[in-house]
Amino acid sequence: MSVRPYVVASVAVSLDGRIDDAGPDRLVLSGPDDLDRVDGVRAGVDAILVGAGTVRSDDPRLLVRSPERRAARVARGLAETPLRVVLSGGGPLDPAACVFTGPPTLVLTPGAGGVAAALEQLREHGVERLLVEGGATVHTAFLAADLVDELHVAVAPILVGGGPRFVHAGAFPPARWRLAGVDTVGDVAVLRLLRGPRG
């Protein structure tokens, strides 16, 4: 039995590595086909995690959307949708946010233990497979702690030119990942990568 959940990190980026532009509205990088692919990934995990900043800026629901996938989970004795998890460093969260409607949501404030402590708590909740959907601060924390086992990067054919990147610069030493597959999903290229050696 694993001492921590298997962690899959998922992100959509532009050709120039941005996850959003500098404008006030959220930039949608994935198309319908890629959103459906992500829905399939969600259906196969025990929990979906985002940071408090993502809840405040994007107001995600973090649900499995497909009725067929929800039904398949129920047939396997699971809840319709994975446990929803918000990783928070503190500060208020709107109780009316979408992530707090419907199925239960777990808010973790791991403090000094960081994301490793959060993973320990999730393991205690029976989570064996975790999907991390961002944002940049959360992705950076998991990657810097070397706690991502599998990375899905959907590259959209868009040049943004400004805005936040997928991870914060200089947060960790270089790491080479092993390319496990590349798929074309609509107009998006999806890279599936596995952990490689550090350095």
Side-chain angles (χ1 to χ4, degrees):
M1 183 177 287
S2 174
V3 296
R4 66 164 177 83
Y6 184 90
V7 176
V8 179
S10 177
V11 64
V13 301
S14 65
L15 288 173
D16 48 349
R18 308 292 179 169
I19 57 172
D20 202 351
D21 61 14
D25 298 322
R26 181 175 173 235
L27 175 66
V28 178
L29 293 166
S30 294
D33 294 330
D34 187 55
L35 292 174
D36 184 65
R37 176 195 63 82
V38 172
D39 195 58
V41 176
R42 285 181 174 182
V45 300
D46 302 306
I48 306 166
L49 181 147
V50 296
T54 296
V55 171
R56 294 183 188 109
S57 63
D58 296 347
D59 197 20
R61 296 179 66 213
L62 303 183
L63 300 174
V64 174
R65 296 186 173 111
S66 161
E68 293 80 13
R69 291 181 182 125
R70 292 198 303 267
R73 284 180 57 87
V74 171
R76 299 199 317 267
L78 303 172
E80 278 193 352
T81 201
L83 175 67
R84 300 177 298 174
V85 182
V86 178
L87 192 65
S88 175
L93 288 166
D94 183 356
C98 289
V99 77
F100 297 122
T101 62
T105 297
L106 181 64
V107 177
L108 297 179
T109 52
V115 292
L119 287 181
E120 288 179 15
Q121 293 177 60
L122 290 175
R123 195 70 182 89
E124 291 170 3
H125 280 81
V127 174
E128 296 183 4
R129 192 171 178 90
L130 172 68
L131 177 61
V132 176
E133 292 195 0
T137 298
V138 168
H139 280 308
T140 300
F142 272 86
L143 288 163
D146 198 22
L147 292 172
V148 176
D149 300 290
E150 188 172 327
L151 181 58
H152 298 177
V153 182
V155 183
I158 301 170
L159 286 169
V160 175
R165 293 188 180 276
F166 158 42
V167 291
H168 301 311
F172 42 80
R176 191 170 187 90
W177 289 72
R178 179 165 58 87
L179 185 62
V182 181
D183 294 310
T184 302
V185 182
D187 68 348
V188 171
V190 180
L191 286 68
R192 189 170 69 86
L193 303 118
L194 302 175
R195 288 170 74 193
R198 284 284 185 186

